[in-house]
Amino acid sequence: MTDVSVYETPINGLVLFRREPYEDHRGSLDRLFDLDMVRSLVPAFSVAQVNHTVTVGRGTVRGLHYQVSPYSDAKVITCLRGRVFDVAVDVRRGSSTFLNWHSVELVERDGISVVLPPGFAHGFQLLDDACELLYVHGERYSEEAEGALHAEDPLLDIAWPEAISVMSDRDREHPMINEDWPGVVT
């Protein structure tokens, strides 16, 4: 059985959990997802979709993506292979930590997962040549509900650890926000 420890971050509602896999002479068992544990953090969570991303190229950035109501999306993110600088930005209108960001390095087999409640933009940068992330989503993807922030927005001032080497054309085209940007309702 996997033991789990929960860690709060400076941003209200954004939580990390660390799993301690069971190990013996045969190898190990790591429970990557436990619905009851996630519901203790995000009470209405139900699994709607599971995504697996494979990303290549050290310095590559994906994100910063979110979904708006009625498809606001809580998610649990785990690194299966490689190492990433994982970023969550609070985009909740009226939040005391609005537009603050928090980062954590996710590394394969480190046992750390990020739990993002609805109202957070998410992105990451590769710190290795390749990585795989597993996303357990509380809502299905809806193209009409998708929003995004530009990863290099000076208002956010995210301290990416490496120069951004690759971004999708779509991510590069996201507009910069200004101080009057209202955020999203979850």
Side-chain angles (χ1 to χ4, degrees), residues 64-77:
L64 304 155
H65 306 132
Y66 60 90
Q67 289 199 158
V68 298
S69 184
Y71 298 100
S72 296
D73 186 26
K75 59 187 79 119
V76 179
I77 302 163

Side-chain angles (χ1 to χ4, degrees), residues 166-186:
V166 176
M167 261 198 294
S168 71
D169 291 340
R170 187 179 76 139
D171 284 348
R172 283 209 183 277
E173 293 172 4
H174 296 312
M176 302 294 179
I177 58 176
N178 60 43
E179 292 178 5
D180 296 330
W181 187 68
V184 300
V185 176
T186 57

Side-chain angles (χ1 to χ4, degrees), residues 19-156:
R19 303 171 317 280
E20 294 294 335
Y22 173 78
E23 296 183 16
D24 67 16
H25 66 280
R26 300 167 298 161
S28 64
L29 169 73
D30 188 357
R31 182 177 300 156
L32 295 177
F33 180 83
D34 183 307
L35 183 59
D36 290 339
M37 196 278 305
V38 173
R39 280 187 177 157
S40 74
L41 303 169
V42 183
F45 191 89
S46 63
V47 178
Q49 187 170 307
V50 177
N51 292 340
H52 173 235
T53 62
V54 177
T55 307
V56 296
R58 186 179 184 126
T60 296
V61 168
R62 281 189 187 236
L64 304 155
H65 306 132
Y66 60 90
Q67 289 199 158
V68 298
S69 184
Y71 298 100
S72 296
D73 186 26
K75 59 187 79 119
V76 179
I77 302 163
T78 304
C79 183
L80 300 177
R81 181 172 62 106
R83 187 168 61 106
V84 300
F85 179 79
D86 196 82
V87 176
V89 180
D90 185 351
V91 296
R92 299 170 294 180
R93 181 182 302 167
S95 169
S96 63
T97 53
F98 180 61
L99 294 184
N100 289 356
W101 59 272
H102 182 78
S103 66
V104 62
E105 190 172 303
L106 297 179
V107 180
E108 66 182 280
R109 300 180 54 114
D110 71 355
I112 296 175
S113 293
V114 181
V115 180
L116 284 87
F120 280 79
H122 175 259
F124 63 90
Q125 182 177 48
L126 268 67
L127 301 175
D128 279 345
D129 291 328
C131 81
E132 296 181 42
L133 295 182
L134 181 73
Y135 293 74
V136 179
H137 292 267
E139 185 63 61
R140 284 183 173 75
Y141 172 74
S142 169
E143 186 176 351
E144 300 79 35
E146 186 178 44
L149 304 175
H150 197 290
E152 297 175 302
D153 193 312
L155 190 63
L156 299 175

